[in-house]
Amino acid sequence: MAAASEWSGISPWQGQERSRRPPRDGHGKLLFKDGSYYEGEFVNGEITGEGCRLWAWSGNTYIGQFVLGEPHGHGIMKYKAGGYYEGELFQGMREGQGVLEDKDGQVYQGSFHDNKRHGRGHMVFKNGDKYEGDWVRDQRQGHGVLCCTDGSTYEGQWHSDVFSGLGSLAHCSGVTYCGLWINGHPVAQAKRIVVLGPEVLEVIQGSPFTLNIQLQQDDGEVAKSESGRILKISAGVRYVQLPAYSEVSFFKMDEDHLETPIETPFGFQCISYPLAIPTPCKLEPSCAMKHAEVNIVSKGELEPRLDSEAFNDQEDTPGDLPGLREPQRSHWQLHSQGSMCS
């Protein structure tokens, strides 16, 4: 798409020598020595009315309305590098309502001012993400909705192309955050899952049990603006290696299907104890423990990260479309875990 300087309001004939005088009125064709030309209507010797213009130095063409030699009114500008603009123009600049498409197929439809996206508009990026909302000088600013191809959605305030102000993010993982954002980051994001109790819990295989957990920020305050985090819990029976000569055994193991002991954060190993569906070749029913006392600890850094850093590192799209930028989403994952061992 044409750079702003290309439609800067300077006369399109500046620096070009006409090969002959244009007609006073009516339809005609004006040729230039560099290969550029205009064909269309003239009024009092000026390019005014409907016409077609080719710029030889850029390869761009414009078909539409002219006033005193400049694109003015409604028209279509096609770019040699790919893409086009169709809509309203004022003294050679995009102004009013229009559709702008770049060589990569990214499309903006909405309001323009001073050759930039400005006002209300809808943008479809090349990765399929869609934004509907306010723009200020080629940046998302004001209120808008971003719908990502992975199913994540943000609705709220924007400033300088990032989440800023009050907004709600529904991540594809199921995590939601509704609250204040500053420079693309949630102010009250949960940083950890804390298990409040009980300290000792009886777990019977296949039976439900209850834990009291809490989402907390770095300072220990409850993260009330966030929900949907998943706590993964595993359980196990403490593994004890007895001497070979010992005749003491708490339970009998199937040596052909003996599991590799799992390391725990408590300084000992354990054998997995399924909490839901029993699996074959585990402890024999006569020797299986009817219940297990378990200790609980949450670990790991919470994911996904609920921020718009990926939306900050946008660069101008190569080619002739200044300002059309694609937000690159970060690949969020959810691995909030707890571990349970006797």
Side-chain angles (χ1 to χ4, degrees):
M1 194 62 87
S5 59
E6 189 174 321
W7 290 358
S8 60
I10 301 175
S11 170
W13 316 125
Q14 183 172 331
Q16 293 182 329
E17 184 179 352
R18 304 181 187 186
S19 60
R20 62 183 179 84
R21 184 181 297 277
R24 291 286 301 171
D25 295 290
H27 188 276
K29 187 171 185 177
L30 183 62
L31 304 177
F32 298 87
K33 289 186 176 181
D34 69 348
S36 301
Y37 72 86
Y38 167 80
E39 183 173 3
E41 297 176 343
F42 291 84
V43 175
N44 294 327
E46 294 288 348
I47 295 175
T48 299
E50 297 284 341
C52 174
R53 173 80 164 95
L54 167 68
W55 287 267
W57 61 273
S58 67
N60 299 335
T61 60
Y62 171 78
I63 300 175
Q65 298 174 331
F66 289 82
V67 172
L68 298 178
E70 293 182 312
H72 189 100
H74 186 275
I76 302 175
M77 177 71 79
K78 295 183 178 181
Y79 302 94
K80 183 179 180 180
Y84 71 94
Y85 171 77
E86 179 176 0
E88 299 172 328
L89 301 104
F90 180 78
Q91 295 181 354
M93 307 286 281
R94 297 187 285 264
E95 187 77 25
Q97 296 296 309
V99 178
L100 182 63
E101 179 177 334
D102 72 1
K103 63 181 181 180
D104 295 320
Q106 300 185 122
V107 180
Y108 170 82
Q109 181 174 3
S111 180
F112 290 85
H113 174 65
D114 197 26
N115 222 36
K116 298 181 182 296
R117 294 165 291 177
H118 190 93
R120 193 76 179 175
H122 179 266
M123 182 80 182
V124 179
F125 298 93
K126 66 180 180 181
N127 66 354
D129 291 352
K130 299 177 181 179
Y131 172 79
E132 176 81 34
D134 299 325
W135 297 77
V136 174
R137 299 188 63 81
D138 265 347
Q139 290 189 323
R140 289 164 290 184
Q141 187 158 313
H143 185 274
V145 179
L146 176 67
C147 297
C148 302
T149 54
D150 66 359
S152 301
T153 301
Y154 172 82
E155 180 175 3
Q157 297 295 307
W158 295 72
H159 190 275
S160 300
D161 240 17
V162 298
F163 310 154
S164 189
L166 293 177
S168 177
L169 174 67
H171 189 255
C172 60
S173 66
V175 176
T176 62
Y177 176 86
C178 183
L180 184 63
W181 301 75
I182 296 180
N183 196 29
H185 299 273
V187 174
Q189 181 183 3
K191 293 297 184 178
R192 58 180 175 267
I193 297 178
V194 177
V195 179
L196 301 181
E199 293 184 3
V200 177
L201 178 66
E202 289 191 353
V203 178
I204 300 176
Q205 194 174 62
S207 299
F209 58 91
T210 302
L211 289 177
N212 185 13
I213 65 174
Q214 190 177 78
L215 290 176
Q216 292 185 357
Q217 305 174 47
D218 277 334
D219 58 5
E221 292 294 322
V222 179
K224 298 180 180 179
S225 300
E226 191 175 322
S227 64
R229 295 285 183 179
I230 297 176
L231 176 65
K232 183 179 178 181
I233 300 174
S234 59
V237 179
R238 183 168 183 172
Y239 177 75
V240 179
Q241 182 65 51
L242 297 175
Y245 56 82
S246 176
E247 297 180 356
V248 179
S249 178
F250 295 103
F251 50 82
K252 183 179 179 182
M253 300 294 295
D254 186 344
E255 295 182 356
D256 293 333
H257 300 88
L258 183 62
E259 292 188 12
T260 303
I262 303 172
E263 294 293 338
T264 73
F266 306 107
F268 56 80
Q269 297 176 324
C270 69
I271 301 297
S272 177
Y273 179 78
L275 296 174
I277 303 175
T279 56
C281 301
K282 299 294 182 182
L283 305 182
E284 293 184 358
S286 59
C287 301
M289 301 178 64
K290 294 184 178 180
H291 69 272
E293 292 186 350
V294 296
N295 296 316
I296 306 165
V297 61
S298 61
K299 62 180 181 179
E301 180 179 350
L302 290 187
E303 296 184 7
R305 292 173 52 203
L306 304 182
D307 57 51
S308 61
E309 284 185 355
F311 297 87
N312 297 341
D313 304 327
Q314 300 170 12
E315 299 178 355
D316 287 346
T317 301
D320 294 330
L321 283 184
L324 285 192
R325 295 171 294 198
E326 174 194 2
Q328 301 173 352
R329 300 189 314 281
S330 58
H331 299 287
W332 292 321
Q333 296 179 344
L334 188 61
H335 293 298
S336 304
Q337 296 186 349
S339 61
M340 301 175 60
C341 295
S342 63

